[in-house]
Amino acid sequence: MYVNRVDHIAGHTFHGRKGAVQNAFRYSVDYILLDPESVPQTPVLFSMNRANVTNWRVSDHGGEPGKGRGATWLREQFYQMNVPQPGHITLLTQPRVLGHVFNPVSFWFCFDDEHRLYAVVAEVTNTYGTRHSYLCHNPGFEPIRASDRIVADKLMHVSPFQKIEGTYTFRFDYRPDRVGAWIDYGREGGGLIATLTGQRAPLTNGTILWSLLRRPFGARRAFVLILWQALKLWLKKATFRPFRTAPVPKHPVSRIREP
């Protein structure tokens, strides 16, 4: 059942590198889940499109980072790609904390008029500020179940310690009480498994303050942790591939690999 509110996801993310040079980590992380086309009631410490302790801005999503147009951009992309328009949309993303945000991946969950999940857009942003999105759906846009695996070709350089070649296998589990996303990046000789899971609960001033105490600085903390893992891979002598050698996808959204 659709409820117009902002949810807090006290989540956990896991990354496990496959191949000759292995590395794994698991961190707690705070996400929000919201309807980007509505104006929900929010706690005092959270705002939509204006400064606050924590907030969310349309410009952070749907287009180039900082120049996004939110759900308007998503609907335009669906129209151009001949994809059915959603009855409603929710966005899973990290909020801004004290004005700063960095989202390695956000997810647009798209539902039909009967509230069935039929498409997910994985919005991937690398540390160099480049963004590309992957449109995930079943053949004929049948409802996406938790057991479904959706495969897409990897097209954008994300980690300087991984090649571009290979595929992403996506899996999603969207429920009233929890949400989960799994990405299995596979390529010859290696790859990576990344997961994000967490319980859903209404966002409150209490959950915001508790999150700031446990995980201060929000996305700044996540960015520092990414740099720490990169240092560990460098010390393990993982191959470093400069971003300047990687092509940038011509289209902002790519389709899945059709069966």
Side-chain angles (χ1 to χ4, degrees), residues 47-70:
S47 297
M48 305 277 283
N49 293 308
R50 62 183 178 84
N52 204 332
V53 175
T54 61
N55 69 323
W56 176 83
R57 292 185 180 275
V58 169
S59 59
D60 291 331
H61 301 279
E64 295 182 35
K67 301 178 182 179
R69 294 185 295 116

Side-chain angles (χ1 to χ4, degrees), residues 60-123:
D60 291 331
H61 301 279
E64 295 182 35
K67 301 178 182 179
R69 294 185 295 116
T72 299
W73 172 90
L74 183 72
R75 291 186 178 277
E76 288 177 357
Q77 296 300 318
F78 276 23
Y79 177 79
Q80 294 171 12
M81 302 171 75
N82 197 29
V83 175
Q85 289 290 329
H88 74 272
I89 303 165
T90 58
L91 176 65
L92 178 66
T93 187
Q94 292 188 75
R96 284 179 170 265
V97 176
L98 303 177
H100 180 78
V101 68
F102 171 65
N103 271 294
V105 60
S106 299
F107 298 97
W108 300 85
F109 293 96
C110 303
F111 300 84
D112 62 20
D113 291 332
E114 297 182 16
H115 307 294
R116 296 176 300 187
L117 179 66
Y118 75 94
V120 181
V121 175
E123 184 181 79

Side-chain angles (χ1 to χ4, degrees), residues 17-22 152 154 159-169 184-193 233 238-241 257:
R17 180 186 170 98
K18 299 180 288 186
V21 180
Q22 297 189 5
K154 182 185 179 187
S159 168
F161 296 98
Q162 294 280 7
K163 295 181 179 179
I164 295 181
E165 294 83 2
T167 60
Y168 289 132
T169 300
D184 188 345
Y185 165 49
R187 65 174 178 83
E188 184 178 352
L192 178 74
I193 295 176
L233 287 172
T239 302
F240 182 87
R241 298 171 178 86
R257 176 180 290 186

Side-chain angles (χ1 to χ4, degrees), residues 133-149:
S133 297
Y134 298 86
L135 171 60
C136 306
H137 63 85
N138 282 324
F141 296 98
E142 289 295 315
I144 297 174
R145 301 164 300 181
S147 59
D148 291 337
R149 266 68 173 175

